[in-house]
Amino acid sequence: MSTFSIGETDFLRDGRPHQIISGAIHYFRVHPDQWRDRIRKARLMGLNTIETYVAWNAHEPRRGEWDATGWNDLGLFLDLVSAEGMDAIVRPGPYICAEWHNGGLPTWLAADEDTLRTSDPDYLADVTGYLRRVYDIVAPRQIQHGGPVVLVQIENEYGAYGSDAVYLEELVRVTKDSGITVPLTTVDQPVDRMLIDGSLAGLHRTGSFGSRVPERLAALRRHQATGPLMCSEFWDGWFDWWGGIHHTTGVAATADDLDALLSAGASVNIYMFHGGTNFGLTNGANHKGRYLPLVTSYDYDAPLDEAGDPTEKYYALRDVIAKHAPVPDELPEPGVPAPSFTVPLRHTGAWTDGRTSVAPSSSAERPATFDELGHLSALVRYDVELPELSAPATLTVDDVRDLAWVSVDGRNVGTLARTRHDHTVSIPPGRTLSILVEDQGRVNYGDRLGEEKGLIGVPLLDGEPLHGWRSTPLDVAAIADVIAAGDFEMSAEQDARATGSAWIGEFDLPSETDLFLDTASWGKGYAFVNGFFLGRYWRNGPQRTMYVPWPTTRKGANRVVVLELEHLRDAHARFVPGLALGDHEE
């Protein structure tokens, strides 16, 4: 039986000093058939440990509907780590940030900022149920039971959010009562107040940073007087948002900082080793005075790129690790270009008019939010009858979350964007006002966790409230399935240039293979291959390709479905040799 503990100066594995050299892989961002490959490549870089968050809202998107299979099979992921001869660190939150929608918290939790991440009894009751389910998976896979798990983290950078010691104590109690006996850690940025508020006596403090190593380790040591120092989030890259640049970090600088950490005897978890993809609608959002939704790719400029191929950074960090620990002689296979080809797309009709909704509409005096509708997909269409107008009027909304297309009697009249702080648009005379609202991604940190989506409040027309709204949820994945099945045809009056157009194309492959779908000539929308939801695309950039994992493709016939919200400049699906994530600055 192996053991893992914390000594006066070091982590102790079977009683001997041990330096953790870990890398982050989020199982929920990687196709399960590719987990083994990514873990193996981590070992070949010289890592001895894999770290992962656990995303509560991936496992339980609706209250009581717990799922730990398929993409959510945390147990299998940990077993694959063990099979590769590596250790594991598990960070179950319940809050994880991770640039993941709503920071990993399910939307059905209370949205009141005064209750989330506190010792509020109702919130703690939900958290307790969640953690017990996670620990049912983790506890038997601890190192003393022959499994890979050597550390479990309590909460996540809590010192940047709150200071509720009772809350942390309850998390520790539930964790220990659930049979977790490996050491418990916390992580915070190396700022005195955060390190104080984000932990408790008896928990091992670690830091999150990506540079200025001596200074950050010194700050950490002020609050962790004994035991090993650890940077449990060594930021080797960064994330991207729509309308920004593709963020990268210098390879040499990252290698030098890793060398400084390991030379100081510190343990490390590289965040990220392999970022993966925000498939479907799982991207989070920034909000530091301006709402900025994050892109579909979570490449993170990591040692393994979004498609799982080793980069220049992979080999540079491998060379650094080799100075401090044994590294296998074997190298991973380099990436190879994917097939390049073009597929014509045929127009199958408009899809945002509500005809394809699989959920009933709600009628009320004001627009219903996504949350009130229990809607987990990206769009809600709002319709209301207009009073008789003799001239254009001004529509005013309290808040739109997050992007809205406004039309009158089917004619587009403008957009309202949260990123632009829009609140008004001019409305011409007509019978029916329609507002299609997109949830572009939930903010993943701070006091905006759990905020409602949709049209907020009662819209006004020239200062007078508009009542009698019909709110229709649109499930984009379900709509794509209907279109792929051929159950939806364009009517004669529909125009292929209209907003909200659906497109479909077929192509053959000689075998399963990774693909890269070029979206540069499209507007904004969602793409699917063989029913698999690749995610969002947007001409706003920086991302220009969507990664198609090989397990989602087929030998022989394949199908691509595109749900365009604006306009396609070119009615073709172009597949290109590799990633195009946008212009970047280091």
Side-chain angles (χ1 to χ4, degrees):
M1 180 185 72
S2 294
T3 62
F4 197 91
S5 60
I6 295 177
E8 282 297 309
T9 58
D10 300 283
F11 290 113
L12 301 176
R13 199 178 195 283
D14 294 332
R16 294 185 294 274
H18 178 76
Q19 189 173 31
I20 295 173
I21 307 177
S22 174
I25 303 173
H26 299 156
Y27 61 95
F28 43 87
R29 279 182 161 126
V30 181
H31 194 288
D33 291 349
Q34 296 175 312
W35 289 346
R36 188 186 303 272
D37 171 77
R38 296 347 185 214
I39 295 166
R40 173 179 170 271
K41 288 172 178 173
R43 179 180 62 81
L44 296 184
M45 199 177 85
L47 304 183
N48 56 33
T49 306
I50 297 293
E51 175 270 317
T52 188
Y53 280 128
V54 180
W56 185 358
N57 54 11
H59 286 271
E60 195 178 10
R62 298 187 185 278
R63 184 187 291 274
E65 297 181 9
W66 177 259
D67 177 30
T69 64
W71 285 72
N72 294 322
D73 197 340
L74 172 61
L76 175 59
F77 181 78
L78 294 175
D79 291 344
L80 291 173
V81 172
S82 181
E84 203 63 39
M86 303 179 74
D87 293 336
I89 300 169
V90 179
R91 302 204 285 170
Y95 166 78
I96 63 171
C97 185
E99 292 74 59
W100 185 256
H101 63 125
N102 214 40
L105 297 175
T107 56
W108 49 260
L109 284 172
D112 186 345
E113 164 63 9
D114 293 334
T115 65
L116 294 178
R117 303 179 73 189
T118 70
S119 53
D120 173 80
D122 291 337
Y123 172 70
L124 274 178
D126 288 326
V127 170
T128 297
Y130 158 69
L131 287 177
R132 284 176 175 163
R133 291 186 183 96
V134 173
Y135 293 145
D136 283 346
I137 299 168
V138 174
R141 291 175 170 86
Q142 294 176 99
I143 187 171
Q144 68 272 23
H145 302 308
V149 178
V150 296
L151 295 175
V152 168
Q153 182 178 292
I154 300 296
E155 244 280 351
N156 188 58
E157 292 189 323
Y158 186 65
Y161 180 86
S163 58
D164 187 341
V166 175
Y167 169 53
L168 296 179
E169 289 166 357
E170 278 299 294
L171 296 185
V172 172
R173 183 190 64 78
V174 172
T175 300
K176 291 183 175 180
D177 287 351
S178 299
I180 300 300
T181 58
V182 295
L184 305 180
T185 66
T186 55
V187 61
D188 283 287
Q189 296 178 42
V191 175
D192 290 336
R193 175 49 54 190
M194 294 183 187
L195 287 165
I196 292 169
D197 290 345
S199 195
L200 299 169
L203 300 179
H204 193 77
R205 289 173 169 86
T206 72
S208 54
F209 54 88
S211 61
R212 293 158 50 193
V213 172
E215 172 189 340
R216 268 69 185 268
L217 290 180
L220 181 58
R221 181 55 84 192
R222 287 198 298 272
H223 300 275
Q224 186 60 57
T226 64
L229 294 174
M230 182 172 183
C231 177
S232 59
E233 282 191 26
F234 172 62
W235 302 324
D236 62 348
W238 208 242
F239 52 89
D240 298 342
W241 49 87
W242 294 114
I245 60 170
H246 172 47
H247 293 84
T248 62
T249 57
V251 173
T254 301
D256 286 346
D257 285 328
L258 178 62
D259 191 32
L261 271 169
L262 297 179
S263 295
S267 287
V268 65
N269 174 56
I270 297 169
Y271 189 100
M272 298 289 298
F273 167 71
H274 171 54
T277 308
N278 297 315
F279 292 115
L281 304 169
T282 58
N283 64 283
N286 266 355
H287 201 303
K288 295 182 178 179
R290 184 184 181 206
Y291 174 80
L292 295 171
L294 306 184
V295 304
T296 298
S297 171
Y298 199 64
D299 178 87
Y300 211 85
D301 195 36
L304 282 193
D305 67 17
E306 184 183 4
D309 292 326
T311 66
E312 179 185 358
K313 189 174 287 184
Y314 180 98
Y315 297 106
L317 299 191
R318 186 177 187 273
D319 288 343
V320 169
I321 293 168
K323 295 166 57 177
H324 302 275
V327 171
D329 293 333
E330 183 183 359
L331 289 171
E333 292 294 323
V336 297
S340 299
F341 56 95
T342 299
V343 179
L345 298 173
R346 67 180 184 276
H347 185 231
T348 64
W351 62 278
T352 61
D353 54 9
R355 291 183 302 128
T356 50
S357 176
V358 296
S361 298
S362 170
S363 296
E365 286 300 286
R366 63 172 179 80
T369 66
F370 284 55
D371 306 76
E372 289 167 337
L373 293 166
H375 187 50
L376 300 181
S377 192
L379 297 166
V380 171
R381 179 187 173 101
Y382 299 98
D383 296 281
V384 69
E385 297 306 307
L386 288 169
E388 187 171 337
L389 298 173
S390 59
T394 298
L395 176 71
T396 303
V397 300
D398 288 350
D399 203 359
V400 59
R401 298 177 186 163
D402 304 302
L403 179 61
W405 293 262
V406 184
S407 62
V408 173
D409 296 338
R411 302 188 309 274
N412 297 326
V413 299
T415 59
L416 295 165
R418 184 179 185 181
T419 57
R420 298 193 303 256
H421 305 288
D422 290 339
H423 293 278
T424 62
V425 64
S426 180
I427 299 297
R431 294 181 59 190
T432 304
L433 169 67
S434 300
I435 306 176
L436 182 68
V437 176
E438 182 187 29
D439 168 5
Q440 293 190 287
R442 292 186 179 256
V443 176
N444 47 256
Y445 66 88
D447 60 5
R448 294 182 182 273
L449 290 172
E451 67 177 1
E452 292 185 309
K453 291 288 188 171
L455 281 182
I456 308 303
V458 179
L460 306 177
L461 194 65
D462 280 350
E464 294 297 322
L466 284 170
H467 293 300
W469 289 85
R470 184 170 68 256
S471 306
T472 305
L474 300 180
D475 185 329
V476 295
I479 291 170
D481 287 343
V482 169
I483 291 167
D487 298 334
F488 179 64
E489 293 296 332
M490 177 176 63
S491 61
E493 68 272 14
Q494 286 173 338
D495 186 339
R497 296 168 297 177
T499 298
S501 54
W503 305 80
I504 191 168
E506 287 85 20
F507 57 96
D508 287 338
L509 291 173
S511 62
E512 297 173 329
T513 184
D514 279 353
L515 296 173
F516 302 92
L517 178 58
D518 184 355
T519 65
S521 61
W522 299 349
K524 188 181 196 307
Y526 318 96
F528 304 78
V529 168
N530 298 327
F532 179 75
F533 195 170
L534 299 178
R536 311 173 193 258
Y537 64 85
W538 197 2
R539 69 181 185 280
N540 205 18
Q543 180 180 347
R544 294 300 184 196
T545 55
M546 305 187 80
Y547 172 54
V548 185
W550 67 260
T552 68
T553 66
R554 304 167 183 156
K555 178 181 179 180
N558 293 261
R559 177 178 288 122
V560 57
V561 172
V562 179
L563 300 183
E564 171 64 49
L565 285 163
E566 295 182 343
H567 302 290
L568 296 186
R569 292 204 320 268
D570 183 6
H572 290 84
R574 302 184 185 279
F575 292 90
V576 295
L579 296 167
L581 300 179
D583 296 331
H584 66 272
E585 297 177 3
E586 292 186 355

